[in-house]
Amino acid sequence: MKKYFQFDALGTNYRREIIGGLTTFLAMAYILVVNPITLTLADIPDLPDALRMDYGAVFVATALSAAIGSIIMGLLGRYPLALAPGLGLNAFFAYTVVLGSGTPWQHALGAVFISSMFFLILTLTGLREKLINAIPIELKHAVGAGIGLFITFIGLQTSGIIVNNDATLVGIGDLSEPNTLLSIFGILVTVILMVRGVRGGVFYGMIISIIVGMVFGLIDTPTKVVDKVPSLEPTFGAVFSSFSDPSFYTTAMLGIVLTFLFVDFFDNAGTLVAVANQAGFVKNNKLPRAGQALLADSIASVTGSILGTSTVTSYVESSAGVAAGARTGFASLITAACFLLSLFFFPLLQVVTSAVTAPALIIVGVLMVSSLGKIDWTKFEVAVPAFLTMIIMPLSYSIATGIAVGFIFYPITMIVSGRAKEINPIMYLFFIIFILYFIFK
């Protein structure tokens, strides 16, 4: 096992990988609650039964697809990168496709299946890997830093430190609110541990926050440890029923498929590059075993649509595991094992609240923006697209949109500066695609 995952070459061990895998799971365990709530449109009363998915089945599909994707990533890609149904994509699935247009959820799953199969074909032909390797190193660093700012912003929001403000869009929240205070405590503890050089400081910070939250009654102590696993029957294989329905084959559905395809490609590519950069895997602007890592994402999405959930993608919260010491796919196997166990220990997941995960996201964001130091800011033709890539992500609340803006400006600034010969031809293709994306968005 140590030889296969190259523990010695990467300077890691079982302890670091296990802690890293556990940290990643704790940082993304919220998806086991958020995804079922989102896909079942639990916050929408009086919704027709035809549009509402079964909560229990979606919960099981979420856990299984995350476990399967993470196992494949761990064994094939050998990266400390976990997968699960993606946030944003699940909201698009539920609120735009199902609720907004009245599309049956089975048809929405069909769109996910088709886009995932297309991804699988692109991956097997090696095209996805070529597209990612064509991205200039400066923009890869910008993507990593942008995602760092993005997840920090998410952490500040979910903690209540930053809130909506009608006059200025955002502002400081009520710092005396108990859960916000718990998050601030978690940030301080984690910072102290990280400054002192404690391995797994992010993980231990979360554990300490959970304990303190229970002591002060901010986190409910679970009344039950093990519960019955819900049935997967309501959603399993339901995707195939859409293909026999003539109403599935519409121009609108084609647009939905393309949206899933576009957002997943650049969200996943951005996350993969960002986490790989953070762990030091990118060499000569190329990512080793990128094809295997992308294959894991493709297979997981196909599997997830069959099980009954929206598009499965790489999770940026994996960077929390990397910060805790994870360097190999063994950590992904640990995360996968946690997702499988969560099927039986769902009550225990209630202790992982946003107040607990927010500090981890904020601290990891600090670590990820370090890639800014690798960008030559004295070259304005590089600085502009890099900066726009980075800043648009949190401001638009979209990784894909940030990438789109930066990739549009890159060829423009490079051509004007007389460096057109340095542009990979594929970047011109991205330029055209992103222009069309904003025109028809």
Side-chain angles (χ1 to χ4, degrees), residues 41-244:
L41 293 164
D43 59 337
I44 306 297
D46 304 321
L47 190 71
D49 291 340
L51 300 182
R52 195 185 300 279
M53 301 180 74
D54 182 82
Y55 185 96
V58 175
F59 164 71
V60 175
T62 301
L64 288 179
S65 61
I68 292 170
S70 299
I71 288 172
I72 298 173
M73 178 65 77
L75 294 178
L76 290 184
R78 285 182 284 168
Y79 285 115
L81 194 63
L83 291 85
L87 285 176
L89 284 166
N90 61 357
F92 173 75
F93 179 108
Y95 292 97
T96 301
V97 179
V98 177
L99 184 63
S101 62
T103 301
W105 57 265
Q106 293 90 339
H107 287 196
L109 287 177
V112 172
F113 179 86
I114 293 173
S115 65
S116 301
M117 285 299 296
F118 189 62
F119 264 140
L120 184 58
I121 294 171
L122 288 177
T123 302
L124 292 175
T125 58
L127 184 57
R128 281 183 80 187
E129 185 173 357
K130 290 180 180 178
L131 293 175
I132 290 178
N133 286 333
I135 301 171
I137 189 64
E138 296 91 350
L139 290 188
K140 284 179 178 174
H141 290 316
V143 167
I147 292 178
L149 291 177
F150 183 39
I151 65 172
T152 295
F153 187 45
I154 292 174
L156 291 170
Q157 280 187 306
T158 57
S159 66
I161 296 175
I162 296 295
V163 297
N164 176 66
N165 185 302
D166 292 336
T168 60
L169 295 183
V170 293
I172 291 292
D174 181 4
L175 301 186
S176 64
E177 201 279 324
N179 280 296
T180 301
L181 284 174
L182 179 61
S183 289
I184 294 173
F185 169 80
I187 294 171
L188 291 173
V189 169
T190 306
V191 167
I192 291 171
L193 292 174
M194 296 291 285
V195 170
R196 296 296 300 174
V198 176
R199 290 285 187 184
V202 175
F203 173 74
Y204 294 128
M206 295 172 73
I207 296 300
I208 293 172
S209 294
I210 289 173
I211 294 173
V212 170
M214 288 182 176
V215 170
F216 287 92
L218 301 176
I219 297 176
D220 294 332
T221 303
T223 58
K224 189 186 296 184
V225 175
V226 180
D227 206 351
K228 181 181 178 181
V229 178
S231 172
L232 187 62
E233 192 274 333
T235 61
F236 182 72
V239 59
F240 299 115
S241 66
S242 62
F243 301 141
S244 60

Side-chain angles (χ1 to χ4, degrees), residues 29 32-33 55 59 210 214 218-224 345-354 356:
L32 291 168
V33 177
Y55 185 96
F59 164 71
I210 289 173
M214 288 182 176
L218 301 176
I219 297 176
D220 294 332
T221 303
T223 58
K224 189 186 296 184
F345 295 94
F346 178 71
L348 290 179
L349 296 176
Q350 306 308 307
V351 303
V352 186
T353 65
S354 59
V356 171

Side-chain angles (χ1 to χ4, degrees), residues 72 88 118 156 166 179 244 250 253 284 294 299 317 336 365 418 438:
I72 298 173
F118 189 62
L156 291 170
D166 292 336
N179 280 296
S244 60
T250 63
M253 188 56 64
N284 299 319
L294 294 170
I299 296 175
E317 283 82 357
F438 282 117

